[in-house]
Amino acid sequence: MASSMIGLSRVSQLADRLPADCPVSQRLEEGAEDLDAEWVVHVKGNASLPALDLDAALAKGNPLRARIEPSDDLPETPFLILVEGNLEVDAAIVSEDARGAAGLVVLGDLHAHDVVVGGQLLYVLGTLAVRDLLWGDGDRGELRVLGGATARVALFTDDCHVRIGGGERFNFLFDEIRGVHSLAEFSSEEIAAVFPSHCFDGIDDGESGIRPMLDRHAIVQSLRNGDGVVRSDREINAFMPQAADLFQDETISVENVRALIGCGLVKAGESNAFGWFGQTDFVVSDRHQDKDGDRIPERVYITLWKAFDFHL
């Protein structure tokens, strides 16, 4: 750990150190007296850690515990960790306990290899930079970043409260929360390209979204053991190759539909092309007259199993 002063205080003693828009500050303003006596690990200055388990931040063997004066009152899991500086975590920041894990407030930048949290607050005043997986999960959790966020894979599920200011850049985004364009917008099947088989929970087909497909416990345990949980970019792109030059843009337009119809899916001498991938069935039709004499226009028909039907 980098040179920094680390101590243990009560929330009431550090209330003036928390940003005004931090949810903990807001709860204190609303008179939440039950927070006054909660324990806070207070890190003054920049710090680095090999890993950070928010379920047991002060358990024996944890680097944070080794830097704090031994005490009979020392809790295994504090209410909050407050870092007044930058925090670098070589491996993963994880939590599995949706109700009892420590919150984390960083008043500088936060860098980590992976971040998998749910059920608690993760507040970053500066930039959040995650090398591989950023996963915010659970309706009791909140991910709030003011200075921008980057990650190779970002996953937001199960009504987690996500607020990212300052811009974001994710190579692969699965977002079931904010209504933004992402790989989870219409179908869950792309998640199989990102995670290896041991990260999945049984044979869930994704009908209820991404979260039931994944084994959160297995993912957290793998990260605790120092193992990676997402495939490389090359493996992901090989699983779901994209024709970057086929369409003008990502909008559904007459020009893009015609580009799909004319790209060679419908073979010469035929009128339709049928196919499927995962949960998606599609029919691409060139303009023709069917066997009943009906005139069929150029069209694309897509069915996402038990989810959507599109007729373009």
Side-chain angles (χ1 to χ4, degrees):
M1 179 178 291
S3 178
S4 55
M5 296 181 60
I6 302 177
L8 199 62
S9 302
R10 301 288 188 177
V11 170
S12 58
Q13 297 173 298
L14 298 175
D16 60 339
R17 305 293 185 97
L18 297 170
D21 67 337
C22 176
V24 178
S25 296
Q26 295 168 351
R27 287 183 62 188
L28 291 171
E29 284 289 330
E30 295 167 359
E33 296 180 357
D34 58 310
L35 295 183
D36 288 345
E38 292 281 6
W39 287 110
V40 179
V41 174
H42 185 201
V43 182
K44 300 177 183 178
N46 300 331
S48 62
L49 291 168
L52 180 57
D53 191 333
L54 298 175
D55 286 344
L58 295 180
K60 291 183 179 180
N62 191 300
L64 281 175
R65 182 187 178 99
R67 295 290 302 276
I68 295 176
E69 190 72 24
S71 170
D72 293 338
D73 296 329
L74 194 65
E76 185 172 280
T77 304
F79 171 72
L80 188 69
I81 300 170
L82 171 63
V83 181
E84 291 195 279
N86 300 325
L87 176 61
E88 293 207 19
V89 179
D90 296 334
I93 299 173
V94 297
S95 72
E96 195 171 1
D97 188 343
R99 293 180 178 272
L104 176 61
V105 174
V106 179
L107 302 187
D109 298 333
L110 172 57
H111 291 206
H113 195 284
D114 300 274
V115 176
V116 176
V117 293
Q120 74 284 97
L121 170 68
L122 174 56
Y123 178 103
V124 182
L125 188 59
T127 299
L128 172 62
V130 180
R131 188 178 303 175
D132 268 358
L133 174 63
L134 169 62
W135 184 6
D137 178 59
D139 60 358
R140 293 179 60 86
E142 180 164 356
L143 173 64
R144 189 176 297 193
V145 181
L146 277 67
T150 62
R152 195 161 66 84
V153 176
L155 177 63
F156 304 128
T157 57
D158 198 19
D159 295 328
C160 181
H161 303 281
V162 179
R163 294 175 58 181
I164 299 175
E168 59 187 65
R169 188 177 74 254
F170 306 126
N171 292 7
F172 303 96
L173 172 63
F174 298 86
D175 192 336
E176 296 184 322
I177 307 299
R178 299 178 296 168
V180 301
H181 176 66
S182 81
L183 293 172
E185 190 167 4
F186 297 126
S187 177
S188 303
E189 59 203 15
E190 289 90 349
I191 204 73
V194 174
F195 291 91
S197 59
H198 75 274
C199 295
F200 289 91
D201 188 6
I203 57 171
D204 192 286
D205 55 25
E207 181 182 348
S208 300
I210 289 174
R211 179 63 183 86
M213 298 177 67
L214 296 173
D215 187 338
R216 182 182 175 85
H217 174 73
I219 290 173
V220 170
Q221 287 301 117
S222 293
L223 292 174
R224 283 172 173 158
N225 294 333
D227 299 325
V229 294
V230 292
R231 293 191 171 103
S232 68
D233 284 7
R234 179 177 296 181
E235 291 173 312
I236 296 171
N237 287 323
F239 189 94
M240 49 180 188
Q242 299 183 21
D245 58 348
L246 179 59
F247 303 112
Q248 295 180 355
D249 50 36
E250 295 182 345
T251 62
I252 297 176
S253 64
V254 173
E255 291 76 14
N256 285 340
V257 171
R258 285 177 174 167
L260 176 62
I261 294 170
C263 75
L265 283 175
V266 180
K267 297 180 181 179
E270 299 184 6
S271 303
N272 301 296
F274 303 86
W276 67 89
F277 52 96
Q279 302 165 355
T280 305
D281 294 324
F282 67 87
V283 180
V284 177
S285 299
D286 204 349
R287 185 177 299 156
H288 67 281
Q289 186 169 331
D290 67 13
K291 62 182 180 180
D292 296 323
D294 296 327
R295 293 184 176 182
I296 307 300
E298 296 172 319
R299 66 181 183 179
V300 178
Y301 188 79
I302 302 173
T303 298
L304 303 181
W305 186 61
K306 294 186 179 181
F308 302 100
D309 288 323
F310 297 94
H311 189 182
L312 309 173

Short mmCIF file of all heavy atoms in Angstrom, two decimals, residues 113-156:
data_model
loop_
_atom_site.label_atom_id
_atom_site.label_comp_id
_atom_site.label_asym_id
_atom_site.label_seq_id
_atom_site.Cartn_x
_atom_site.Cartn_y
_atom_site.Cartn_z
N HIS A 113 -8.55 -3.43 -11.68
CA HIS A 113 -8.61 -4.40 -12.78
C HIS A 113 -10.05 -4.80 -13.05
O HIS A 113 -10.48 -4.87 -14.21
CB HIS A 113 -7.76 -5.63 -12.45
CG HIS A 113 -7.48 -6.49 -13.65
ND1 HIS A 113 -8.41 -7.32 -14.22
CD2 HIS A 113 -6.35 -6.62 -14.39
CE1 HIS A 113 -7.89 -7.93 -15.26
NE2 HIS A 113 -6.63 -7.53 -15.39
N ASP A 114 -10.82 -5.05 -11.99
CA ASP A 114 -12.24 -5.39 -12.10
C ASP A 114 -12.98 -4.74 -10.95
O ASP A 114 -12.42 -4.59 -9.85
CB ASP A 114 -12.46 -6.91 -12.04
CG ASP A 114 -11.74 -7.65 -13.15
OD1 ASP A 114 -12.30 -7.78 -14.25
OD2 ASP A 114 -10.60 -8.11 -12.90
N VAL A 115 -14.23 -4.40 -11.17
CA VAL A 115 -15.10 -3.87 -10.12
C VAL A 115 -16.45 -4.56 -10.25
O VAL A 115 -17.15 -4.39 -11.25
CB VAL A 115 -15.28 -2.34 -10.23
CG1 VAL A 115 -16.27 -1.85 -9.17
CG2 VAL A 115 -13.94 -1.62 -10.07
N VAL A 116 -16.80 -5.35 -9.25
CA VAL A 116 -18.10 -6.05 -9.23
C VAL A 116 -18.76 -5.73 -7.90
O VAL A 116 -18.35 -6.24 -6.85
CB VAL A 116 -17.92 -7.57 -9.40
CG1 VAL A 116 -19.27 -8.28 -9.27
CG2 VAL A 116 -17.29 -7.88 -10.76
N VAL A 117 -19.75 -4.87 -7.92
CA VAL A 117 -20.39 -4.41 -6.69
C VAL A 117 -21.90 -4.46 -6.84
O VAL A 117 -22.45 -4.46 -7.93
CB VAL A 117 -19.96 -2.96 -6.34
CG1 VAL A 117 -18.48 -2.92 -5.97
CG2 VAL A 117 -20.23 -2.01 -7.50
N GLY A 118 -22.57 -4.51 -5.70
CA GLY A 118 -24.02 -4.52 -5.69
C GLY A 118 -24.53 -4.44 -4.27
O GLY A 118 -24.05 -5.16 -3.39
N GLY A 119 -25.48 -3.57 -4.02
CA GLY A 119 -26.05 -3.47 -2.69
C GLY A 119 -25.45 -2.39 -1.84
O GLY A 119 -25.91 -2.17 -0.71
N GLN A 120 -24.41 -1.71 -2.32
CA GLN A 120 -23.82 -0.63 -1.53
C GLN A 120 -23.46 0.53 -2.45
O GLN A 120 -23.64 0.49 -3.67
CB GLN A 120 -22.58 -1.11 -0.77
CG GLN A 120 -21.34 -1.33 -1.64
CD GLN A 120 -21.41 -2.58 -2.43
OE1 GLN A 120 -21.78 -2.56 -3.59
NE2 GLN A 120 -21.10 -3.69 -1.81
N LEU A 121 -22.92 1.58 -1.85
CA LEU A 121 -22.56 2.78 -2.60
C LEU A 121 -21.12 2.69 -3.09
O LEU A 121 -20.22 2.35 -2.34
CB LEU A 121 -22.70 4.01 -1.69
CG LEU A 121 -22.14 5.33 -2.23
CD1 LEU A 121 -22.96 5.82 -3.42
CD2 LEU A 121 -22.10 6.38 -1.12
N LEU A 122 -20.92 3.01 -4.36
CA LEU A 122 -19.59 3.26 -4.91
C LEU A 122 -19.64 4.65 -5.53
O LEU A 122 -20.30 4.87 -6.56
CB LEU A 122 -19.21 2.22 -5.95
CG LEU A 122 -17.89 2.47 -6.68
CD1 LEU A 122 -16.73 2.60 -5.70
CD2 LEU A 122 -17.60 1.36 -7.69
N TYR A 123 -18.95 5.59 -4.88
CA TYR A 123 -18.96 7.00 -5.29
C TYR A 123 -17.53 7.40 -5.64
O TYR A 123 -16.61 7.22 -4.84
CB TYR A 123 -19.49 7.87 -4.15
CG TYR A 123 -19.51 9.36 -4.42
CD1 TYR A 123 -20.71 10.01 -4.72
CD2 TYR A 123 -18.35 10.12 -4.35
CE1 TYR A 123 -20.73 11.38 -4.96
CE2 TYR A 123 -18.37 11.49 -4.59
CZ TYR A 123 -19.57 12.12 -4.89
OH TYR A 123 -19.58 13.47 -5.12
N VAL A 124 -17.34 7.93 -6.87
CA VAL A 124 -16.01 8.34 -7.32
C VAL A 124 -16.10 9.78 -7.80
O VAL A 124 -16.82 10.08 -8.77
CB VAL A 124 -15.48 7.42 -8.45
CG1 VAL A 124 -14.07 7.87 -8.86
CG2 VAL A 124 -15.49 5.97 -8.01
N LEU A 125 -15.39 10.66 -7.12
CA LEU A 125 -15.42 12.08 -7.48
C LEU A 125 -14.64 12.33 -8.77
O LEU A 125 -14.99 13.20 -9.57
CB LEU A 125 -14.84 12.92 -6.35
CG LEU A 125 -14.95 14.45 -6.49
CD1 LEU A 125 -16.40 14.89 -6.61
CD2 LEU A 125 -14.27 15.13 -5.31
N GLY A 126 -13.58 11.57 -9.00
CA GLY A 126 -12.77 11.71 -10.21
C GLY A 126 -13.16 10.71 -11.27
O GLY A 126 -14.34 10.47 -11.52
N THR A 127 -12.16 10.08 -11.86
CA THR A 127 -12.36 9.12 -12.95
C THR A 127 -12.35 7.69 -12.42
O THR A 127 -11.53 7.33 -11.59
CB THR A 127 -11.26 9.28 -14.01
OG1 THR A 127 -11.32 10.60 -14.56
CG2 THR A 127 -11.44 8.27 -15.14
N LEU A 128 -13.26 6.88 -12.93
CA LEU A 128 -13.27 5.45 -12.65
C LEU A 128 -12.72 4.73 -13.88
O LEU A 128 -13.33 4.79 -14.96
CB LEU A 128 -14.68 4.96 -12.34
CG LEU A 128 -14.87 3.45 -12.21
CD1 LEU A 128 -14.03 2.89 -11.07
CD2 LEU A 128 -16.34 3.09 -12.02
N ALA A 129 -11.57 4.09 -13.73
CA ALA A 129 -10.94 3.37 -14.84
C ALA A 129 -10.81 1.90 -14.48
O ALA A 129 -10.09 1.56 -13.53
CB ALA A 129 -9.57 3.97 -15.16
N VAL A 130 -11.51 1.04 -15.20
CA VAL A 130 -11.52 -0.40 -14.94
C VAL A 130 -10.94 -1.12 -16.15
O VAL A 130 -11.40 -0.92 -17.28
CB VAL A 130 -12.95 -0.89 -14.65
CG1 VAL A 130 -12.96 -2.38 -14.37
CG2 VAL A 130 -13.56 -0.12 -13.48
N ARG A 131 -9.95 -1.95 -15.90
CA ARG A 131 -9.27 -2.60 -17.02
C ARG A 131 -10.14 -3.62 -17.71
O ARG A 131 -10.17 -3.71 -18.94
CB ARG A 131 -7.98 -3.26 -16.53
CG ARG A 131 -7.10 -3.80 -17.66
CD ARG A 131 -5.82 -4.40 -17.12
NE ARG A 131 -5.07 -3.41 -16.32
CZ ARG A 131 -3.97 -3.69 -15.65
NH1 ARG A 131 -3.49 -4.93 -15.65
NH2 ARG A 131 -3.36 -2.76 -14.96
N ASP A 132 -10.88 -4.44 -16.95
CA ASP A 132 -11.70 -5.49 -17.56
C ASP A 132 -13.19 -5.28 -17.29
O ASP A 132 -13.87 -4.62 -18.05
CB ASP A 132 -11.25 -6.87 -17.08
CG ASP A 132 -10.20 -7.50 -17.99
OD1 ASP A 132 -9.86 -6.88 -19.02
OD2 ASP A 132 -9.71 -8.59 -17.67
N LEU A 133 -13.71 -5.82 -16.19
CA LEU A 133 -15.15 -5.86 -15.95
C LEU A 133 -15.59 -4.85 -14.91
O LEU A 133 -15.08 -4.82 -13.79
CB LEU A 133 -15.56 -7.27 -15.49
CG LEU A 133 -17.02 -7.45 -15.05
CD1 LEU A 133 -17.99 -7.18 -16.20
CD2 LEU A 133 -17.24 -8.83 -14.46
N LEU A 134 -16.58 -4.04 -15.27
CA LEU A 134 -17.30 -3.17 -14.35
C LEU A 134 -18.74 -3.66 -14.30
O LEU A 134 -19.44 -3.61 -15.31
CB LEU A 134 -17.24 -1.72 -14.82
CG LEU A 134 -18.17 -0.72 -14.10
CD1 LEU A 134 -17.83 -0.62 -12.63
CD2 LEU A 134 -18.12 0.66 -14.77
N TRP A 135 -19.19 -4.13 -13.12
CA TRP A 135 -20.56 -4.65 -12.99
C TRP A 135 -21.22 -4.01 -11.79
O TRP A 135 -20.81 -4.21 -10.65
CB TRP A 135 -20.52 -6.18 -12.84
CG TRP A 135 -21.89 -6.82 -12.80
CD1 TRP A 135 -23.09 -6.20 -13.01
CD2 TRP A 135 -22.19 -8.20 -12.56
NE1 TRP A 135 -24.12 -7.11 -12.91
CE2 TRP A 135 -23.59 -8.34 -12.63
CE3 TRP A 135 -21.40 -9.32 -12.28
CZ2 TRP A 135 -24.22 -9.57 -12.42
CZ3 TRP A 135 -22.03 -10.53 -12.08
CH2 TRP A 135 -23.43 -10.66 -12.16
N GLY A 136 -22.26 -3.24 -12.04
CA GLY A 136 -23.11 -2.69 -11.00
C GLY A 136 -24.43 -3.45 -11.00
O GLY A 136 -25.11 -3.53 -12.03
N ASP A 137 -24.81 -3.99 -9.83
CA ASP A 137 -25.94 -4.91 -9.79
C ASP A 137 -26.74 -4.69 -8.51
O ASP A 137 -26.17 -4.40 -7.45
CB ASP A 137 -25.41 -6.36 -9.84
CG ASP A 137 -26.51 -7.39 -9.76
OD1 ASP A 137 -27.40 -7.38 -10.63
OD2 ASP A 137 -26.50 -8.21 -8.81
N GLY A 138 -28.05 -4.83 -8.59
CA GLY A 138 -28.90 -4.81 -7.41
C GLY A 138 -29.53 -3.47 -7.13
O GLY A 138 -28.89 -2.43 -7.21
N ASP A 139 -30.82 -3.49 -6.77
CA ASP A 139 -31.55 -2.24 -6.58
C ASP A 139 -31.17 -1.50 -5.31
O ASP A 139 -31.54 -0.35 -5.12
CB ASP A 139 -33.06 -2.48 -6.61
CG ASP A 139 -33.53 -3.44 -5.52
OD1 ASP A 139 -32.68 -3.96 -4.76
OD2 ASP A 139 -34.75 -3.68 -5.43
N ARG A 140 -30.41 -2.13 -4.42
CA ARG A 140 -29.93 -1.44 -3.22
C ARG A 140 -28.59 -0.76 -3.46
O ARG A 140 -28.11 -0.01 -2.61
CB ARG A 140 -29.80 -2.43 -2.06
CG ARG A 140 -31.13 -2.99 -1.57
CD ARG A 140 -30.88 -3.99 -0.44
NE ARG A 140 -30.20 -3.38 0.69
CZ ARG A 140 -30.81 -2.74 1.67
NH1 ARG A 140 -32.13 -2.61 1.66
NH2 ARG A 140 -30.12 -2.23 2.68
N GLY A 141 -27.98 -1.02 -4.60
CA GLY A 141 -26.67 -0.47 -4.89
C GLY A 141 -26.75 0.82 -5.68
O GLY A 141 -27.73 1.10 -6.37
N GLU A 142 -25.68 1.61 -5.58
CA GLU A 142 -25.60 2.84 -6.37
C GLU A 142 -24.17 3.04 -6.84
O GLU A 142 -23.22 3.00 -6.05
CB GLU A 142 -26.05 4.05 -5.55
CG GLU A 142 -25.96 5.34 -6.35
CD GLU A 142 -26.75 6.48 -5.74
OE1 GLU A 142 -27.43 6.26 -4.71
OE2 GLU A 142 -26.68 7.61 -6.27
N LEU A 143 -24.03 3.25 -8.13
CA LEU A 143 -22.75 3.58 -8.74
C LEU A 143 -22.84 5.02 -9.23
O LEU A 143 -23.60 5.32 -10.14
CB LEU A 143 -22.46 2.63 -9.91
CG LEU A 143 -21.24 2.94 -10.77
CD1 LEU A 143 -19.96 2.84 -9.94
CD2 LEU A 143 -21.17 2.02 -11.98
N ARG A 144 -22.06 5.89 -8.59
CA ARG A 144 -22.10 7.31 -8.94
C ARG A 144 -20.67 7.78 -9.24
O ARG A 144 -19.81 7.73 -8.37
CB ARG A 144 -22.72 8.14 -7.83
CG ARG A 144 -22.97 9.60 -8.23
CD ARG A 144 -23.66 10.39 -7.13
NE ARG A 144 -25.00 9.89 -6.81
CZ ARG A 144 -25.88 10.57 -6.08
NH1 ARG A 144 -25.56 11.77 -5.61
NH2 ARG A 144 -27.06 10.05 -5.82
N VAL A 145 -20.44 8.22 -10.48
CA VAL A 145 -19.13 8.66 -10.93
C VAL A 145 -19.28 10.05 -11.54
O VAL A 145 -20.13 10.27 -12.40
CB VAL A 145 -18.53 7.69 -11.97
CG1 VAL A 145 -17.15 8.15 -12.40
CG2 VAL A 145 -18.48 6.27 -11.41
N LEU A 146 -18.42 10.98 -11.12
CA LEU A 146 -18.53 12.34 -11.61
C LEU A 146 -17.53 12.67 -12.71
O LEU A 146 -17.77 13.56 -13.52
CB LEU A 146 -18.36 13.34 -10.46
CG LEU A 146 -19.61 13.63 -9.61
CD1 LEU A 146 -20.03 12.41 -8.81
CD2 LEU A 146 -19.39 14.81 -8.70
N GLY A 147 -16.39 12.00 -12.74
CA GLY A 147 -15.32 12.38 -13.66
C GLY A 147 -15.12 11.47 -14.85
O GLY A 147 -14.05 11.48 -15.46
N GLY A 148 -16.12 10.69 -15.21
CA GLY A 148 -16.02 9.81 -16.36
C GLY A 148 -15.64 8.39 -15.98
O GLY A 148 -15.02 8.16 -14.94
N ALA A 149 -16.01 7.43 -16.83
CA ALA A 149 -15.75 6.02 -16.54
C ALA A 149 -15.32 5.30 -17.81
O ALA A 149 -15.83 5.57 -18.91
CB ALA A 149 -17.00 5.35 -15.97
N THR A 150 -14.37 4.39 -17.65
CA THR A 150 -13.93 3.53 -18.75
C THR A 150 -13.85 2.10 -18.25
O THR A 150 -13.57 1.84 -17.09
CB THR A 150 -12.54 3.95 -19.29
OG1 THR A 150 -11.56 3.81 -18.24
CG2 THR A 150 -12.56 5.40 -19.77
N ALA A 151 -14.11 1.16 -19.15
CA ALA A 151 -13.96 -0.27 -18.85
C ALA A 151 -14.00 -1.03 -20.16
O ALA A 151 -14.55 -0.55 -21.15
CB ALA A 151 -15.06 -0.75 -17.92
N ARG A 152 -13.40 -2.20 -20.15
CA ARG A 152 -13.48 -3.02 -21.36
C ARG A 152 -14.88 -3.60 -21.50
O ARG A 152 -15.49 -3.57 -22.56
CB ARG A 152 -12.43 -4.13 -21.30
CG ARG A 152 -12.19 -4.79 -22.64
CD ARG A 152 -10.87 -5.52 -22.67
NE ARG A 152 -10.85 -6.66 -21.76
CZ ARG A 152 -11.34 -7.86 -22.08
NH1 ARG A 152 -11.89 -8.07 -23.26
NH2 ARG A 152 -11.27 -8.86 -21.22
N VAL A 153 -15.44 -4.12 -20.39
CA VAL A 153 -16.80 -4.65 -20.37
C VAL A 153 -17.55 -3.97 -19.23
O VAL A 153 -17.07 -3.97 -18.09
CB VAL A 153 -16.81 -6.18 -20.16
CG1 VAL A 153 -18.26 -6.69 -20.05
CG2 VAL A 153 -16.08 -6.89 -21.29
N ALA A 154 -18.71 -3.39 -19.52
CA ALA A 154 -19.55 -2.77 -18.49
C ALA A 154 -20.91 -3.45 -18.50
O ALA A 154 -21.50 -3.67 -19.56
CB ALA A 154 -19.70 -1.28 -18.73
N LEU A 155 -21.39 -3.77 -17.30
CA LEU A 155 -22.63 -4.52 -17.14
C LEU A 155 -23.43 -3.87 -16.02
O LEU A 155 -22.95 -3.76 -14.89
CB LEU A 155 -22.29 -5.97 -16.80
CG LEU A 155 -23.41 -6.97 -16.52
CD1 LEU A 155 -24.29 -7.13 -17.75
CD2 LEU A 155 -22.81 -8.32 -16.13
N PHE A 156 -24.66 -3.42 -16.32
CA PHE A 156 -25.51 -2.78 -15.32
C PHE A 156 -26.85 -3.52 -15.30
O PHE A 156 -27.57 -3.53 -16.31
CB PHE A 156 -25.72 -1.30 -15.64
CG PHE A 156 -24.43 -0.52 -15.77
CD1 PHE A 156 -24.18 0.26 -16.88
CD2 PHE A 156 -23.45 -0.60 -14.79
CE1 PHE A 156 -23.00 0.97 -17.01
CE2 PHE A 156 -22.26 0.10 -14.90
CZ PHE A 156 -22.03 0.90 -16.02
#
